[in-house]
Amino acid sequence: MKSATQWLETICRRENWPSAVAFALTLSLDEALTNIVSYAFQTTDHADGNHRTNDDSTPRTIRLRCTLTPAQVRLEIIDNGQPYDPTQPITPPLATSLDAAHLGGHGLRLMRHYLSGMSYVRRDQKNCMTLLADLMNRPMM
């Protein structure tokens, strides 16, 4: 994941994107990659419900593509893991206190907050997730 975020940070600096856009995309890429490793590259043993590393012989791959228009950045994340649509899970409600708070499950909430759009499609046995960040009229963080 470190090399992927470094790749994106290099593009952000080279293109001189606003810091809010760089933050939104870097945070969202890190969260998306964590979800891919945690869910798409795992299989569930249905007998006990435990997640295990997929043991088939197919090498796991993740491909990134970043495209730019004058108004928007589009970051595509394509992996060959198990079908996993991160746009579908409902994020847990916000806790009313620190004692009631649980770890995890809030990454998608952050992605939805900072990005202008997010979509998923399963195509050719691959998960294809697209993250969108507006370059103009970005609200302050």
Side-chain angles (χ1 to χ4, degrees), residues 12-55:
C12 292
R13 282 190 303 275
R14 183 187 71 212
E15 298 297 327
N16 199 30
W17 292 340
S19 60
V21 171
F23 175 79
L25 286 169
T26 303
L27 173 83
S28 298
L29 175 61
D30 186 68
E31 177 62 24
L33 293 174
T34 298
N35 286 340
I36 290 168
V37 171
S38 298
Y39 301 106
F41 287 173
Q42 301 290 316
T43 57
T44 301
D45 183 333
H46 295 287
D48 61 14
N50 289 326
H51 289 283
R52 291 187 170 76
T53 302
N54 196 332
D55 59 358

Side-chain angles (χ1 to χ4, degrees), residues 40-43 54-62 79-82:
F41 287 173
Q42 301 290 316
T43 57
N54 196 332
D55 59 358
D56 69 21
S57 60
T58 305
R60 296 298 174 204
T61 61
I62 300 172
D79 71 81
N80 67 342
Q82 299 297 314

Side-chain angles (χ1 to χ4, degrees), residues 31 35 39 91-95 97-110:
E31 177 62 24
N35 286 340
Y39 301 106
T91 54
L94 291 173
S97 71
L98 285 177
D99 292 332
H102 298 283
L103 291 177
H106 298 286
L108 289 171
R109 180 190 320 276
L110 290 171

Side-chain angles (χ1 to χ4, degrees), residues 1-23:
M1 283 191 270
K2 185 177 179 181
S3 62
T5 54
Q6 287 174 339
W7 168 81
L8 182 58
E9 289 168 349
T10 299
I11 295 171
C12 292
R13 282 190 303 275
R14 183 187 71 212
E15 298 297 327
N16 199 30
W17 292 340
S19 60
V21 171
F23 175 79

Side-chain angles (χ1 to χ4, degrees), residues 100-133:
H102 298 283
L103 291 177
H106 298 286
L108 289 171
R109 180 190 320 276
L110 290 171
M111 291 172 73
R112 288 183 184 111
H113 174 78
Y114 287 113
L115 296 171
S116 58
M118 179 171 57
S119 64
Y120 168 87
V121 65
R122 179 81 177 173
R123 183 175 43 242
D124 299 327
Q125 302 298 306
K126 292 181 175 62
N127 297 306
C128 306
M129 183 167 185
T130 302
L131 311 178
L132 302 172

